[in-house]
Amino acid sequence: MEIRKYDHQKIEKKWQKFWEREGVFKAKESRQPKLYVLDMFPYPSGEGLHVGHPRGYVGSDVLANYYRLNGYTVLHPMGFDAFGLPAENAAIKVGVHPAQNTAKNIRRFSEQLKMFGFSYDWSRVINTSAPEYYRWTQWLFNLLYRQGLAYQKEAYVNWCPKDKTVLANEQVVHGCCERCGTEVVQQQRKQWFFKITEFADELLLGLNKLDWPESTKELQRNWIGRSEGAELTFAMDDQRGSIKVFTTRADTIFGATYLVLAPEHPMVKKIVVPEQAEAVDNYLKQAARKTERERVTDTKIKTGVFTGAYAINPATKKEVPVWVADYVLSSYSHGAIMAVPAHDERDHDFATTFKLPIVEVVESEGEKLPYTGHGRLINSGKFNGRSSQAAGGEMANEFGGKPTVQYRLRDWLISRQRYWGAPIPILYNREERPMPVEDKDLPIKLPDDVEFKPTGQSPLVSSRKFARIPLKYKKQGAVRREFDTMDTFVCSSWYFLRYADPRNPRLFASRPQLNYWLPVDIYVGGAEHATGHLLYARFITKVLHRLGLIDFEEPFRVLRHQGLILGEDNEKMSKSRGNVVNPDEVLEGFGADALRMYEMFMGPFDQSLPWSTAGIEGVRRFLNRVWSLVPQKQAPITDRAIHKLIKKVTGDIEQMRFNTVVSSCMEFVNLAMDRGITEPTLEKLVMLMAPMTPHIAEEIYHKLGHEQSIFTVTWPKFDPRLLIEDLVTVAVQVDGKLRGTLSVAPTATEDEVRDLAVVLPSLAVHLEGKKIIKSHYVSGRIINLIVK
Ligand code: ANZ
């Protein structure tokens, strides 16, 4: 058979135009069941799309197309997460305004995405940096503010003393400013927070109902970090105050040989004795330079300093020294611990470093200290001999403890001292008391006359336009605006709602539209968002639900992660490694269908895999073979085999086993090249391929004489009767003599055939009292049993 190449450039452009003109992928409400298939929207970076981006997009597009062909009304939108630091940094570096830069990048991304032939409803595209969008982000802020779920408090920020600017965590490299290399310090500033902690239990419970990767659910559980324990109070030995600690192991209280306060704990300055004042002061300065992440991930070597003060252990009534150390975090619980070096790893390291007493209170049965398990209590007064696990509650109670639940989850810090974000819609009066801008006065537009060079203040401070305050608010005492903008994760915490009704000028989305389209049925995106975006989106959904604004409690019913595409050298693609594959070149050389199919063929969808040029060449050759199939009058083998393929492809797409969809199609096409294919069978084949390679499928479908889009027909059904394989007759011999026959599948194994043979009635007399010692099987023809 002659293999011909098809002209992908001509065909792909043609069908992309056709689909757009005919509105084939427009989401229209109908009586059919709906399906909302969503990709995590991209940040439109200056580099444009890279071949890794579309992996997830192709997967979700295959699903969208597949369900469309199965009669669902599908919503499959795309948009841009357009605010954020890189555009602002580019403005600082090369002086292009972030708005211009972003607009340019969005144009480029859109063009690239369109070349893939994704079945997006482009009429619903959203851009989070557009005032029509961020108006509703600001409205959301107001909503939370009115509920007491948005509030201000002092918090630490990364501060570069040279550039005089606040840095995002990503801009701090090994404790230094990414731009100038100056050591970054932690500085306290008033910041805005969203009270996500109020939803901790709901966020935990909700996970149980979700069809998400187990690993992602587990990451969220750990991030929320619910622990049950007790709050215990240690009085100072001079009766001047006391220290509260949180412990999950009240059973070890007899082993608490010292206390540790976080450097920021308010008691530090109160209790420190004069002789230790200087040492403590120096230590506090040193600790202020570390970020919290460094503090928890730091080495085994613990640093710390003694305050000179003592507290009383309520169980042993002994004096215990009070230390300061940065492995205790001020932000968790009371910011103070009772240290039990015999049974806690960190405490053990610390006690060893500073030669503090280690008292074993849980029998470790020969194991090395620290022993962190449970066991029989020792050195614990009247509790000796009891099980540590059982006695914990009683001990906490006996020594004045209160049962408490602690969460690792912190409130979400949403304010940024940045320009390129949604302004926080707040004004302040002379006493710096906040007052919200009324909903009807939104959006508070981002001005364009700002100074980007770091000055130590939010760039918005420099705008004269922004400084103007409407008379109405002046009359209420407003003297200045809030200059901070919102974290971009606020913009993306609700965008999936806007797609339901993206141009609504009066509401973030209308109730009927929300009820029709939401929740998202299948969400596809990177696993790196487990404890960021995916948690924030769930939180905002729960807030809106609690306030009665939406009817569902979870935003994403099913979640799937795609794997990364690595460079041909098996390393993460990066400019510096020079292993980046540019999708434009691939699209030009091989076409969108080949690229789409190759990205699905690489391997299991959720696995990270290296790019291979040979791989995409192979896929393109396969598509040329499909293109070259010429229908014939008769081809009984492929007419039957297509039913097997329909069953396989249907099941595999639903399970997102896209790589085996491709390999099964390849097997089938090999057979068709050998044995021929009829027109109805070719038509079925291209329908099966349409979700993954829409352009070539559409082209062949039209060449077969159809006028409508292939996406308006229904998915082929298989005939189960045709799936039963033809049986073959096998002669059954005992010691070389024919004793019966059997019908078996041609693929049956020797063991299977033997198991069927031994129970044949005609063999009973020949096998009575004998043992089969061997068998010979000639596949599909004879089995000979040797007996003794
Ligand atoms: C005594 C003890 C003995 C503890 C023992 C553990 C083992 P989770 O489970 O993560 O909640 N802790 C309490 N507050 C802390 C803070 N602000 N910074 C650092 N560590 C803190 O951990 C609870 C345990 O972490 C608490 O139980 C406390 O150490 C420590 F054999 O108290 B434990």
Side-chain angles (χ1 to χ4, degrees):
M1 191 175 114
E2 188 205 344
I3 306 294
R4 287 172 297 130
K5 264 189 83 176
Y6 66 99
D7 182 349
H8 57 263
Q9 281 176 354
K10 202 169 107 205
I11 289 178
E12 291 178 354
K13 273 254 151 48
K14 174 170 110 192
W15 292 113
Q16 285 161 14
K17 280 203 194 117
F18 174 87
W19 295 325
E20 189 159 1
R21 197 173 60 235
E22 303 285 313
V24 173
F25 303 127
K26 271 226 166 81
K28 287 181 280 274
E29 287 164 62
S30 78
R31 291 243 177 80
Q32 302 298 325
K34 69 90 187 179
L35 197 88
Y36 184 176
V37 187
L38 184 65
D39 293 308
M40 289 185 185
F41 63 166
Y43 170 73
S45 71
E47 278 100 65
L49 217 58
H50 100 6
V51 292
H53 273 118
R55 182 107 189 269
Y57 304 161
V58 177
S60 65
D61 204 49
V62 172
L63 294 174
N65 281 333
Y66 168 78
Y67 283 104
R68 225 174 248 128
L69 288 164
N70 276 278
Y72 285 79
T73 296
V74 173
L75 171 59
H76 189 40
M78 184 36 87
F80 298 98
D81 192 11
F83 273 138
L85 200 55
E88 190 164 341
N89 282 344
I92 295 167
K93 237 192 236 150
V94 290
V96 190
H97 196 281
Q100 276 170 20
N101 207 7
T102 304
K104 190 184 91 211
N105 294 347
I106 287 181
R107 273 197 302 278
R108 176 150 156 68
F109 262 72
S110 307
E111 271 167 29
Q112 286 185 310
L113 287 169
K114 285 184 179 169
M115 289 198 291
F116 277 87
F118 292 128
S119 66
Y120 296 131
D121 178 352
W122 283 106
S123 71
R124 291 178 189 251
V125 68
I126 57 181
N127 164 358
T128 58
S129 68
E132 307 82 72
Y133 182 88
Y134 68 68
R135 167 185 180 181
W136 299 106
T137 309
Q138 293 174 334
W139 168 86
L140 186 68
F141 176 93
N142 277 351
L143 189 74
L144 272 84
Y145 182 81
R146 284 196 294 270
Q147 296 299 318
L149 293 170
Y151 69 96
Q152 280 179 299
K153 74 172 177 196
E154 293 277 332
Y156 285 92
V157 293
N158 305 309
W159 174 256
C160 171
K162 179 151 173 283
D163 283 352
K164 295 199 175 37
T165 184
V166 173
L167 300 174
N169 283 338
E170 311 80 278
Q171 294 177 293
V172 182
V173 180
H174 303 305
C176 296
C177 172
E178 160 192 77
R179 271 201 294 270
C180 67
T182 310
E183 201 171 323
V184 170
V185 294
Q186 299 294 303
Q187 205 185 54
Q188 261 203 343
R189 290 218 173 182
K190 214 171 203 181
Q191 305 275 332
W192 285 98
F193 288 84
F194 281 172
K195 219 185 241 169
I196 189 171
T197 53
E198 199 176 304
F199 290 76
D201 276 324
E202 277 175 64
L203 287 166
L204 263 183
L205 277 177
L207 285 173
N208 300 334
K209 292 181 288 195
L210 298 177
D211 179 358
W212 284 23
E214 215 30 67
S215 54
T216 302
K217 291 205 259 184
E218 203 48 29
L219 280 172
Q220 287 207 351
R221 284 191 192 105
N222 291 335
W223 190 258
I224 296 166
R226 185 180 197 276
S227 16
E228 288 180 16
E231 176 189 296
L232 292 168
T233 306
F234 285 65
M236 299 305 296
D237 67 342
D238 57 7
Q239 301 303 313
R240 300 212 333 227
S242 62
I243 293 170
K244 282 193 165 66
V245 303
F246 170 70
T247 179
T248 46
R249 292 295 302 271
D251 53 297
T252 63
I253 187 165
F254 283 88
T257 52
Y258 61 101
L259 298 185
V260 187
L261 303 179
E264 301 82 3
H265 197 289
M267 283 294 273
V268 174
K269 296 222 163 99
K270 283 193 204 133
I271 62 173
V272 60
V273 300
E275 306 84 77
Q276 287 295 93
E278 197 185 327
V280 168
D281 211 44
N282 285 339
Y283 184 73
L284 298 191
K285 281 194 193 128
Q286 179 193 325
R289 283 199 287 270
K290 283 198 210 165
T291 64
E292 194 164 286
R293 197 174 313 161
E294 287 170 326
R295 282 168 55 165
V296 284
T297 52
D298 246 3
T299 53
K300 272 183 93 72
I301 298 158
K302 297 278 177 277
T303 62
V305 63
F306 180 39
T307 61
Y310 291 86
I312 307 291
N313 179 322
T316 62
K317 311 281 185 252
K318 283 193 191 143
E319 284 190 342
V320 290
V322 183
W323 283 65
V324 180
D326 64 9
Y327 77 96
V328 176
L329 304 175
S330 60
S331 51
Y332 189 56
S333 190
H334 298 289
I337 65 159
M338 66 174 206
V340 185
H343 304 292
D344 180 273
E345 209 135 332
R346 295 163 302 178
D347 298 346
H348 191 262
D349 293 341
F350 192 83
T352 319
T353 310
F354 294 102
K355 312 220 156 33
L356 291 160
I358 300 174
V359 176
E360 196 178 336
V361 291
V362 180
E363 216 166 45
S364 63
E365 304 196 12
E367 276 190 54
K368 215 163 86 225
L369 293 184
Y371 170 70
T372 56
H374 278 284
R376 224 165 54 91
L377 288 167
I378 52 174
N379 298 323
S380 297
K382 70 174 194 187
F383 294 94
N384 280 342
R386 305 262 312 265
S387 134
S388 63
Q389 200 149 20
E394 209 180 303
M395 289 170 86
N397 199 25
E398 171 100 10
F399 303 117
K402 273 197 315 206
T404 38
V405 177
Q406 276 298 324
Y407 298 88
R408 203 151 281 281
L409 185 68
R410 318 273 170 74
D411 279 339
W412 174 13
L413 195 168
I414 60 114
S415 46
R416 297 286 180 272
Q417 292 69 50
R418 296 279 158 209
Y419 168 68
W420 194 232
I424 294 176
I426 286 283
L427 294 158
Y428 292 94
N429 69 7
R430 220 165 277 291
E431 288 82 51
E432 283 287 293
R433 236 198 31 216
M435 55 170 93
V437 173
E438 286 175 45
D439 285 350
K440 65 175 162 49
D441 296 329
L442 299 178
I444 299 302
K445 281 211 186 146
L446 198 57
D448 45 21
D449 58 333
V450 297
E451 171 59 70
F452 292 109
K453 299 256 150 50
T455 59
Q457 288 175 307
S458 301
L460 289 182
V461 177
S462 68
S463 164
R464 299 183 59 181
K465 273 193 216 156
F466 199 67
R468 271 181 237 134
I469 293 168
L471 199 59
K472 174 168 102 186
Y473 293 103
K474 274 195 190 153
K475 280 193 187 146
Q476 293 168 36
V479 294
R480 76 164 182 99
R481 287 193 188 278
E482 171 61 79
F483 297 115
D484 288 357
T485 54
M486 281 185 255
D487 179 6
T488 53
F489 281 113
V490 179
C491 308
S492 58
S493 68
W494 72 278
Y495 79 106
F496 47 92
L497 303 173
R498 187 68 177 167
Y499 282 132
D501 191 9
R503 309 285 170 251
N504 194 323
R506 291 179 318 279
L507 288 167
F508 69 104
S510 78
R511 193 67 172 249
Q513 304 285 335
L514 285 168
N515 281 347
Y516 183 81
W517 292 114
L518 273 290
V520 173
D521 295 287
I522 305 171
Y523 197 27
V524 176
E528 69 277 16
H529 295 292
T531 55
H533 162 63
L534 288 167
L535 194 61
Y536 299 141
R538 295 186 60 221
F539 159 58
I540 293 300
T541 303
K542 291 196 184 295
V543 170
L544 293 171
H545 179 257
R546 186 188 281 186
L547 299 178
L549 294 170
I550 54 176
D551 295 326
F552 47 93
E553 291 175 60
E554 287 287 343
F556 315 123
R557 229 165 37 78
V558 176
L559 171 73
R560 295 290 179 264
H561 301 306
Q562 78 279 6
L564 296 176
I565 295 187
L566 307 169
E568 212 142 2
D569 54 0
N570 226 334
E571 299 282 340
K572 213 174 154 181
M573 279 193 195
S574 78
K575 262 197 193 154
S576 57
R577 284 204 186 88
N579 62 353
V580 177
V581 178
N582 180 344
D584 296 342
E585 286 165 23
V586 181
L587 287 170
E588 203 185 303
F590 299 92
D593 284 337
L595 179 50
R596 291 170 61 113
M597 183 170 253
Y598 169 62
E599 293 208 359
M600 295 298 95
F601 185 47
M602 294 176 83
F605 185 66
D606 58 357
Q607 271 178 31
S608 294
L609 299 156
W611 178 265
S612 147
T613 303
I616 189 159
E617 284 165 357
V619 167
R620 176 56 207 245
R621 276 198 299 274
F622 163 70
L623 291 177
N624 288 341
R625 283 202 287 275
V626 174
W627 181 250
S628 309
L629 290 172
V630 181
Q632 291 160 359
K633 280 247 149 13
Q634 274 206 334
I637 292 195
T638 42
D639 286 354
R640 286 164 71 91
I642 193 80
H643 287 265
K644 216 170 124 191
L645 187 67
I646 295 170
K647 182 170 185 228
K648 174 84 176 137
V649 170
T650 304
D652 282 357
I653 289 183
E654 286 181 4
Q655 300 296 315
M656 296 180 74
R657 287 190 302 250
F658 302 123
N659 53 327
T660 53
V661 169
V662 182
S663 53
S664 311
C665 288
M666 287 177 168
E667 269 171 42
F668 176 85
V669 170
N670 283 341
L671 186 71
M673 288 176 56
D674 233 33
R675 309 289 180 92
I677 191 166
T678 56
E679 201 170 298
T681 299
L682 179 59
E683 195 170 304
K684 288 194 182 87
L685 173 68
V686 292
M687 279 184 198
L688 295 180
M689 288 173 58
M692 207 177 280
T693 53
H695 311 87
I696 191 172
E698 190 82 275
E699 178 73 18
I700 297 177
Y701 185 70
H702 278 70
K703 279 169 70 125
L704 292 176
H706 300 279
E707 309 245 295
Q708 281 188 322
S709 166
I710 193 168
F711 292 104
T712 58
V713 298
T714 38
W715 189 250
K717 302 259 169 310
F718 59 87
D719 181 347
R721 283 169 311 174
L722 297 178
L723 296 180
I724 303 163
E725 289 176 88
D726 292 331
L727 299 181
V728 290
T729 305
V730 171
V732 182
Q733 299 179 331
V734 177
D735 282 338
K737 294 201 184 72
L738 183 68
R739 301 297 184 196
T741 57
L742 266 181
S743 288
V744 299
T747 50
T749 63
E750 175 161 0
D751 285 349
E752 286 164 355
V753 176
R754 192 176 49 211
D755 291 347
L756 290 172
V758 295
V759 294
L760 271 180
S762 61
L763 260 70
V765 286
H766 305 287
L767 294 180
E768 209 180 274
K770 302 218 166 103
K771 242 175 73 188
I772 299 167
I773 50 169
K774 231 183 5 231
S775 65
H776 291 295
Y777 182 50
V778 184
S779 187
R781 292 177 52 200
I782 300 176
I783 186 158
N784 185 16
L785 308 176
I786 316 290
V787 296
K788 209 168 89 179

